[in-house]
Amino acid sequence: MFITLEGPDGSGKTLQIHLLEEFLTAEGYKVFCGREPGDTFIGEQIRQVLMDHQNKNMHPRTETLLFCAARAQLVQEVLKPHLERGDIVLLDRYADSTMAYQGYGHQFDLDLIRSLLHFATGGLRPDLTFLLDVDPQTGLERRQKGGGEWNRMDAYVLQYHQRVRQGYLEMAQADPQRWKIVDASRQPDVVQSDLREILLSFLSNLS
Ligand code: TMP
């Protein structure tokens, strides 16, 4: 079972995914929890290049390829082996982030990005994807106030982040079977309880 969390910056994914990991582990599931880009030796190095403020002149095409490169490594080295063992894989961002940020955000041809993603992932798709939806202004303010990592990607203009959010909403509305939209502007415990409820009902429908 492959579950991803997606959403604009400052949507609270990272806190929520760790709470979900704790919850599923306590329920007796074997869980692998990871984040993108990263979680392999090669992926962490690519992450540093992507996030570094010194790389201000990185072209969006370079950025797109680097995200895909980190993901290709993660799929082969980590995700596939865990899924083959029957573990639950919980991932903080996956291919849909590249669709939202590079496809919709940078306004690249979406079909082209889809093909690139297919190549990078070998066609591995999540079974369930949560969209933690929050308006970008609120998300970015949260992130600045929270004192978290402020990276090269956050520095893109607000209109860019609005296109990202719109992209997410379009993808989620086009495939409601896989995507579940959760209002992430609410208190973290309320958001978590919605996530658990949706997840439990998803798991029980499988058994
Ligand atoms: P994070 O803050 O969730 O760790 O994500 C890091 C940044 O990278 C965030 O601004 C979103 C961006 N990103 C992309 O632009 N494309 C991608 O494919 C991924 C995985 C992340």
Side-chain angles (χ1 to χ4, degrees):
M1 161 78 54
F2 181 19
I3 301 162
T4 55
L5 263 75
E6 294 283 352
D9 295 56
S11 57
K13 285 179 294 85
T14 308
L15 168 67
Q16 296 298 339
I17 205 166
H18 286 117
L19 294 172
L20 274 186
E21 179 189 15
E22 268 174 36
F23 170 68
L24 287 172
T25 307
E27 292 281 310
Y29 292 99
K30 206 154 175 303
V31 182
F32 167 80
C33 183
R35 70 161 182 187
E36 274 223 12
D39 268 334
T40 62
F41 184 64
I42 294 169
E44 289 298 336
Q45 294 172 79
I46 296 176
R47 181 183 182 92
Q48 285 188 6
V49 174
L50 278 163
M51 301 303 162
D52 193 338
H53 283 287
Q54 291 189 75
N55 292 334
K56 268 202 244 347
N57 67 349
M58 186 184 293
H59 193 278
R61 285 179 190 265
T62 313
E63 182 187 292
T64 306
L65 291 168
L66 286 174
F67 278 116
C68 287
R71 182 167 306 125
Q73 189 66 27
L74 184 71
V75 167
Q76 298 301 329
E77 193 179 317
V78 180
L79 303 187
K80 276 193 176 167
H82 276 286
L83 291 168
E84 278 158 16
R85 259 179 255 146
D87 299 347
I88 292 189
V89 169
L90 275 179
L91 204 59
D92 186 343
R93 298 197 180 284
Y94 185 58
D96 298 307
S97 282
T98 303
M99 282 299 291
Y101 283 81
Q102 281 65 51
Y104 288 89
H106 289 311
Q107 298 176 298
F108 282 135
D109 182 306
L110 295 177
D111 283 334
L112 212 72
I113 301 289
R114 254 182 230 110
S115 312
L116 199 57
L117 288 170
H118 190 79
F119 176 73
T121 61
L124 178 69
R125 285 163 59 88
D127 301 295
L128 175 67
T129 299
F130 288 110
L131 171 56
L132 269 64
D133 182 46
V134 70
D135 110 80
Q137 179 93 43
T138 313
L140 293 172
E141 278 169 16
R142 257 191 198 171
R143 200 148 150 139
Q144 276 175 313
K145 274 196 210 127
E149 176 194 24
W150 183 255
N151 61 52
R152 190 184 62 81
M153 313 283 308
D154 293 318
Y156 285 136
V157 293
L158 188 61
Q159 289 95 304
Y160 169 84
H161 289 282
Q162 274 155 351
R163 287 197 298 274
V164 169
R165 184 201 192 188
Q166 262 327 103
Y168 270 132
L169 288 169
E170 258 182 50
M171 289 190 283
Q173 279 150 9
D175 186 3
Q177 189 84 341
R178 167 163 77 94
W179 287 83
K180 306 295 165 204
I181 306 177
V182 173
D183 174 4
S185 66
R186 299 167 303 160
Q187 288 302 309
D189 55 332
V190 184
V191 174
Q192 178 65 200
S193 105
D194 272 12
L195 294 178
R196 287 181 187 184
E197 195 181 313
I198 296 168
L199 187 52
L200 284 180
S201 109
F202 191 82
L203 291 171
S204 70
N205 283 340
L206 292 178
S207 52

